Amino acid sequence: MEKPLASGPAELFARIDDYSVANTAAALSEGIVLTTLDNAVNWARKNSIWPMTFGLACCAIELMAAGASRFDIARFGSEVMRFSPRQSDVMIVAGTVTYKMALAVKRIYDQMAEPKWVIAMGACASTGGMYRSYSVLQGVDHILPVDVYVAGCPPRPEALLDALIKLQNKVAKEPVLSTQKTVPA
Amino acid sequence: MTALELAQKLKGKFGDVLAEPVEFRGEITLKLADAGRIVEVCSFAKSELGFDFLVDITSLDNYGDDPRWTIVYHLYGIGHRCHVRLKTDVSEEGSEISTVTGVWRTADWHEREIYDMMGIRFRGHPDLRRILMWEGYPYFPLRKDFPLAGKPTDLPEVAFTRPAPLEGGPFVTVAGGKDTIAREPRVRIPEN
């Protein structure tokens, strides 16, 4: 390209755009790929979904197994278990949510930065499970917008990894500038 | 010294309010007639008889009977390794008894649990808050007249509860059935 230097980013991008549209084959060989912003950002997002672990019962043991070497959640970019809501993307609610704990679950979820997702791991988090009782919240979807439910009591680590892959597929399709999610009334 | 001898000593000191020690399967139970003197009896048991460990405090709901509540203190001595159980009744009108946190500090959480589950208050307790249910919950769920599924409550912007779907339950088992089929958990509607 025998042209003077671009005056700024806008002109540079416009020039790359024009060039690569005009010379598609050449652009590829020079390492230029065209995509949409949604695709590019979501590609980054879906491969580094950091979990906010919320281990509340025996499901947390399977969650730990999913993080250890045999199942290795790092293969999906989710090995960075954050114990701070500020730095995490997905809340894995693993276990029985009592009404008393529900206050803390909701509060931690509210403290997470957007974008954020929720996996309800196991029967208790999904529906209350076998605890048909005055003290247990009958499904965490009463207070949080759940993206993926995992069946099982407790689910095997493979099931959690499957949920993670499903969540990745979902993240890949979301508009980057999507609005905040809420629990449907 | 055996648990029975220790119980006899306690009975000797508070003969006017304590019943004869009852032994059942090697365990000693003493009934205290006047709940107002529980602190006095407990302090004596700790300081003079070596019951330095309060294992637990539990409560019973004798629903339909008067007095409605029974409070049970499980005492143990690490030095002499003897257990003694101390029972006392509390009527529903007052639903109140003196705290023994001044005798054993561990009574703090045991008494909070009883307050949370049964609604019996402990006079003089340093921090009588709920311990298992959330602060502001209006019911006492271990009472016999409280349904297993719970009752709906709403504290806007704070918390809520909904009755759990029991799908035809509660499924309860009855002790003493002849075989496993008779003891199996089934729908048993309490007759009332």
Side-chain angles (χ1 to χ4, degrees):
Chain A
M1 288 196 285
E2 303 293 324
K3 281 186 184 174
L5 287 175
S7 65
E11 194 195 332
L12 178 67
F13 288 138
R15 222 187 260 181
I16 293 172
D17 218 18
D18 293 345
Y19 172 77
S20 48
V21 168
N23 312 285
T24 316
L28 272 177
S29 68
E30 285 177 37
I32 297 172
V33 178
L34 286 184
T35 182
T36 61
L37 183 65
D38 272 10
N39 272 336
V41 172
N42 280 340
W43 174 75
R45 274 184 184 169
K46 86 183 180 84
N47 290 302
S48 64
I49 301 179
W50 292 4
M52 164 80 223
T53 63
F54 221 111
L56 297 171
C58 33
C59 278
I61 305 298
E62 299 298 303
L63 177 62
M64 287 178 236
S69 55
R70 187 182 176 101
F71 298 100
D72 196 12
I73 206 169
R75 294 178 292 156
F76 307 95
S78 298
E79 74 277 22
V80 195
M81 302 275 176
R82 291 284 111 160
F83 296 94
S84 156
R86 318 277 180 206
Q87 302 165 356
S88 44
D89 304 303
V90 61
M91 180 188 260
I92 302 178
V93 184
T96 317
V97 186
T98 59
Y99 280 113
K100 183 155 187 167
M101 200 61 192
L103 304 178
V105 174
K106 179 83 172 99
R107 189 178 177 139
I108 299 287
Y109 177 80
D110 288 344
Q111 287 174 347
M112 285 167 65
E114 295 274 345
K116 52 189 173 183
W117 299 275
V118 176
I119 294 177
M121 181 179 179
C124 293
S126 302
T127 68
M130 65 176 184
Y131 297 103
R132 301 286 179 224
S133 154
Y134 63 89
S135 60
V136 175
L137 182 67
Q138 301 294 305
V140 76
D141 51 5
H142 284 287
I143 53 170
L144 309 180
V146 176
D147 294 283
V148 186
Y149 299 86
V150 192
C153 185
R156 299 235 351 133
E158 296 96 316
L160 181 64
L161 296 179
D162 182 57
L164 190 61
I165 294 168
K166 284 198 162 60
L167 182 64
Q168 287 185 338
N169 294 339
K170 185 175 180 178
V171 170
K173 289 185 206 124
E174 274 181 8
V176 168
L177 302 174
S178 65
T179 49
Q180 199 178 345
K181 283 165 277 191
T182 52
V183 185
Chain B
M1 196 175 284
T2 65
L4 187 58
E5 286 165 355
L6 288 164
Q8 293 289 5
K9 278 195 171 181
L10 200 59
K11 160 86 179 152
K13 170 81 179 175
F14 300 97
D16 48 335
V17 282
L18 274 181
E20 270 311 312
V22 178
E23 183 166 351
F24 179 70
R25 292 189 177 165
E27 297 179 359
I28 311 291
T29 305
L30 281 159
K31 183 97 182 189
L32 177 67
D34 181 7
R37 295 182 67 183
I38 186 71
V39 180
E40 205 184 322
V41 174
C42 285
S43 334
F44 180 79
K46 187 189 179 188
S47 57
E48 305 298 321
L49 301 180
F51 287 103
D52 47 7
F53 180 22
L54 178 68
V55 181
D56 201 357
I57 309 177
T58 52
S59 56
L60 307 179
D61 182 358
N62 312 305
Y63 186 54
D65 289 352
D66 190 50
R68 182 168 175 183
W69 316 115
T70 303
I71 312 224
V72 189
Y73 298 79
H74 304 259
L75 315 188
Y76 181 69
I78 291 170
H80 50 60
R81 301 186 195 169
C82 291
H83 281 98
V84 158
R85 196 183 289 121
L86 199 58
K87 285 186 176 182
T88 187
D89 289 335
V90 174
S91 71
E92 190 176 2
E93 295 77 57
S95 287
E96 197 170 73
I97 187 169
S98 285
T99 176
V100 293
T101 46
V103 185
W104 299 280
R105 281 190 60 200
T106 189
D108 188 335
W109 280 21
H110 295 323
E111 292 181 346
R112 276 179 67 185
E113 187 186 355
I114 291 175
Y115 165 67
D116 191 359
M117 293 286 117
M118 285 288 197
I120 303 164
R121 288 179 308 283
F122 289 85
R123 211 179 306 112
H125 191 283
D127 182 28
L128 197 61
R129 285 178 296 134
R130 285 184 174 271
I131 193 166
L132 296 170
M133 299 302 286
W134 40 275
E135 202 60 35
Y137 186 71
Y139 303 112
F140 302 107
L142 231 54
R143 290 184 173 184
K144 286 267 161 94
D145 49 359
F146 185 86
L148 177 64
K151 292 180 180 176
T153 58
D154 232 324
L155 212 60
E157 303 297 313
V158 180
F160 67 92
T161 51
R162 302 271 173 274
L166 285 183
E167 307 296 341
F171 301 95
V172 288
T173 177
V174 172
K178 277 198 194 106
D179 47 27
T180 45
I181 295 170
R183 289 192 298 268
E184 201 166 75
R186 290 176 194 286
V187 180
R188 294 177 212 273
I189 308 297
E191 55 283 347
N192 54 359

